[in-house]
């Protein structure tokens, strides 16, 4: 009887893990999907057009904490965006920065090439956190669309025209995000992961709605904004979920390109993934109502793509322990291989934090195992009520001082 229970635990754990990572993406490819058409947007080429009057007004909000290094590039990038000058405005908020972010933003805004921008620059004396800034500035403006952007992100010059085209084409669309890339190039493991995630987001959009948006740059209808709980960890998931709950769609467009300028060391990536994992558990617990049948296709997306994710570490532990207890040669052999791989990789990770294996396969395995270690730490951290801290910028390692995560 005991063996039957252990076998059931092992099989169920492995089945759920396989479903989340493998079967769900395959199902998305084979489900009878109604493909959404990428909206066509007109090319202004910086020349005013009669169509400009019909474009929605847009408010770009940029929370900035210790972003002195990147804020000038961000403002210069916004200065060349192809969109009517009187139809978008920018708010840069230095959130109690300990460097000279505020002064750098003022200097950038005063440059001749930025004089045409409708830009407000705020300096908060104390660090209140990104969520507080979103709640304050997203709810206190009267634009049609709100865009949230990182200070270290660079966007394509047609980004606002693409966003406007979506909201004009389909009134059921509530939020939109796009392709997220890094400078310098990612490791092979990280690149493989992001390619995997991009395919899923495209397929989820075709099915009705993608779940999480890329926090570096995303847009939503201002009328749909609802105050985010102050202790929210992943705003780029919680906010779109609130929009979907109101009956609107969140879509992904690969033409909407955002480039992350700030380099990140392995240590920074690891800390970021711990935080995201804690947020994954938080959003699964707080949004269980989205699993109800009335949400139909999105309930399937949410359960398969997001809800299961924070429980993967527990399932991995259960599958390993149950296979050890069963002590059958085959299962025990697989378990030993798995634990040796995890221990070896994690040991190298902590001892040689900035070192990466040379082999592409080894790098991918390194990234996967390190990610599951981070996921386990993040989930247990949140489960045992570790206090959620306001965002703090992790300093780049000295070797990466030229350009984040």
């Amino acid at each position: 009887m005991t063996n039957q229970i252990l076998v059931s635990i092992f099989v169920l754990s492995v089945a759920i893990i396989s479903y989340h990572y493998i079967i769900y993406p395959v199902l998305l490819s084979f489900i009878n999907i109604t493909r959404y058409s990428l909206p066509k947007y007109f090319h202004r080429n910086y020349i005013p057009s009669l169509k400009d009057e019909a474009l929605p007004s847009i408010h770009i909000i940029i929370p900035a904490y210790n972003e002195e290094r990147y804020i000038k590039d961000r403002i210069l990038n916004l200065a060349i965006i192809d969109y009517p000058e009187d139809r978008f405005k920018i708010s840069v908020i230095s959130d109690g920065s300990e460097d000279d972010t505020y002064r750098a933003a003022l200097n950038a805004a005063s440059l001749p090439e930025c004089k045409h921008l409708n830009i407000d620059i705020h300096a908060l004396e104390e660090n209140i956190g990104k969520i507080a800034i979103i709640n304050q500035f997203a709810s206190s403006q009267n634009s049609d669309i709100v865009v949230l952007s990182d200070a270290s992100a660079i966007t394509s010059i047609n980004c606002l025209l693409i966003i406007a085209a979506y909201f004009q084409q389909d009134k059921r669309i509530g939020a939109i995000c796009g392709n997220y890339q890094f400078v310098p190039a990612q490791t092979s493991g990280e690149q493989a992961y992001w390619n995997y995630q991009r395919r899923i987001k495209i397929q989820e959009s075709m099915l009705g709605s993608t779940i999480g948006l890329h926090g570096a740059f995303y847009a939503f209808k201002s009328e749909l904004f609802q105050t985010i709980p102050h202790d929210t960890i992943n705003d780029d998931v919680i906010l779109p979920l609130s929009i979907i709950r109101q009956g609107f769609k969140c879509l992904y467009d690969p033409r909407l390109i955002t480039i992350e300028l700030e380099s990140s060391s392995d240590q920074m990536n690891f800390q970021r993934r711990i935080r995201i994992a804690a947020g994954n558990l938080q959003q699964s617990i707080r949004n269980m109502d989205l699993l109800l049948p009335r949400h139909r296709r999105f309930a399937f997306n949410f359960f398969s793509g997001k809800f299961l994710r924070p429980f993967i570490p527990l399932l991995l532990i259960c599958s390993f322990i149950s296979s050890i207890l069963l002590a059958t040669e085959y299962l025990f052999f697989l378990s030993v291989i798995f634990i040796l791989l995890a221990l070896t990789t994690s040991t190298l990770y902590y001892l040689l934090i900035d070192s990466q294996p040379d082999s592409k396969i080894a790098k991918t395995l390194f990234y996967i195992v390190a990610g599951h270690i981070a996921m386990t730490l993040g989930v247990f951290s949140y489960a045992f009520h570790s206090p959620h801290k306001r965002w703090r910028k992790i300093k780049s390692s000295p070797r990466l001082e030229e350009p984040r995560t």
Side-chain angles (χ1 to χ4, degrees), residues 22 63 106 109 112 142 153 168 170 175 179 184 212 222 227 260-261 269 272 287 319 324-325 335 400:
I22 302 172
L106 287 176
N142 55 7
Q168 289 180 314
D170 189 345
N179 198 352
S222 59
T227 301
E260 176 60 66
L261 292 179
N269 270 324
R272 174 178 59 86
N287 294 279
S319 63
I324 290 294
L325 293 176
S335 300
L400 293 173

Side-chain angles (χ1 to χ4, degrees), residues 170-214:
D170 189 345
K171 302 301 181 184
R172 298 171 299 168
I173 294 175
I176 178 74
C177 77
N179 198 352
Y180 185 43
Q181 301 177 8
F182 297 84
V183 173
Q186 302 159 286
T187 64
S188 57
E190 193 171 15
Q191 185 65 52
Y193 171 77
W194 279 102
N195 289 339
Y196 167 82
Q197 287 294 329
R198 288 186 191 110
R199 286 194 296 270
I200 290 178
K201 285 188 178 297
I202 291 173
Q203 292 168 339
E204 287 177 338
S205 290
M206 292 176 180
L207 192 58
S209 277
T210 189
I211 304 166
L213 306 178
H214 292 312

Side-chain angles (χ1 to χ4, degrees), residues 1-6:
M1 184 66 178
T2 302
N3 278 1
Q4 291 177 343
I5 295 174
L6 291 174

Side-chain angles (χ1 to χ4, degrees), residues 131-132 135 226-233 238-239 282 286 388:
I131 301 302
N135 284 335
Q226 296 177 341
T227 301
I228 307 172
H230 69 91
D231 61 344
T232 295
I233 300 174
I238 296 299
L239 199 158
Q282 181 189 68
R286 294 184 177 182
H388 169 53

Side-chain angles (χ1 to χ4, degrees), residues 101-341:
T101 297
Y102 176 66
R103 183 61 54 187
L106 287 176
N107 291 339
S110 66
L111 294 173
E113 54 267 50
C114 300
K115 286 290 189 179
H116 64 284
L117 290 176
N118 179 7
I119 183 169
D120 296 320
I121 300 173
H122 307 263
L124 305 183
E125 292 185 3
E126 296 183 0
N127 177 260
I128 63 174
K130 184 178 181 181
I131 301 302
I133 288 176
I134 293 174
N135 284 335
Q136 178 180 339
F137 285 85
S139 60
S140 63
Q141 51 81 45
N142 55 7
S143 297
D144 299 318
I145 298 169
V146 174
V147 171
L148 293 176
S149 174
D150 282 355
S152 56
I154 296 295
T155 44
S156 50
I157 61 174
N158 59 357
C159 62
L160 298 188
L161 289 174
I162 293 175
I163 288 170
Y166 266 98
F167 291 113
Q168 289 180 314
Q169 173 181 281
D170 189 345
K171 302 301 181 184
R172 298 171 299 168
I173 294 175
I176 178 74
C177 77
N179 198 352
Y180 185 43
Q181 301 177 8
F182 297 84
V183 173
Q186 302 159 286
T187 64
S188 57
E190 193 171 15
Q191 185 65 52
Y193 171 77
W194 279 102
N195 289 339
Y196 167 82
Q197 287 294 329
R198 288 186 191 110
R199 286 194 296 270
I200 290 178
K201 285 188 178 297
I202 291 173
Q203 292 168 339
E204 287 177 338
S205 290
M206 292 176 180
L207 192 58
S209 277
T210 189
I211 304 166
L213 306 178
H214 292 312
F217 188 83
Y218 65 98
F220 57 90
K221 285 183 177 179
S222 59
E223 64 189 60
L224 301 179
F225 177 75
Q226 296 177 341
T227 301
I228 307 172
H230 69 91
D231 61 344
T232 295
I233 300 174
N234 297 339
D235 65 273
D236 51 0
V237 175
I238 296 299
L239 199 158
L241 287 181
S242 72
I243 290 174
I244 290 169
R245 189 177 278 107
Q246 297 175 63
F248 292 82
K249 298 186 292 185
C250 296
L251 300 183
Y252 174 92
D253 189 332
R255 300 174 304 174
L256 192 60
I257 299 173
T258 302
I259 297 176
E260 176 60 66
L261 292 179
E262 188 176 4
S263 300
S264 60
S265 64
D266 290 333
Q267 185 177 21
M268 292 170 65
N269 270 324
F270 193 70
Q271 293 300 321
R272 174 178 59 86
R273 294 167 85 177
I274 289 176
R275 180 181 176 84
I276 291 174
N280 287 340
L281 181 57
Q282 181 189 68
Q283 66 209 21
S284 291
I285 294 173
R286 294 184 177 182
N287 294 279
M288 294 182 67
D289 61 298
L290 292 174
L291 298 174
L292 296 175
R294 69 169 181 267
H295 293 290
R296 303 171 66 184
R297 289 182 176 183
F298 180 74
F300 166 69
N301 282 359
F302 179 63
F303 172 77
S304 306
K306 285 292 183 185
F307 181 80
L308 290 177
R309 185 164 300 171
F311 303 105
I312 296 298
L314 178 61
L315 293 170
L316 286 170
I317 293 171
C318 287
S319 63
F320 175 72
I321 293 177
S322 60
S323 64
I324 290 294
L325 293 176
L326 284 168
T328 60
E329 292 182 5
Y330 183 63
L331 292 179
F332 181 75
F333 176 75
L334 289 179
S335 300
V336 170
I337 293 296
F338 172 81
I339 198 63
L340 287 177
L341 176 63

Side-chain angles (χ1 to χ4, degrees), residues 356-374:
Q356 290 278 353
D358 293 329
S359 166
K360 183 175 180 179
I361 295 176
K363 286 181 178 180
T364 302
L365 290 174
F366 178 94
Y367 189 81
I368 292 172
V369 176
H372 281 91
I373 294 171

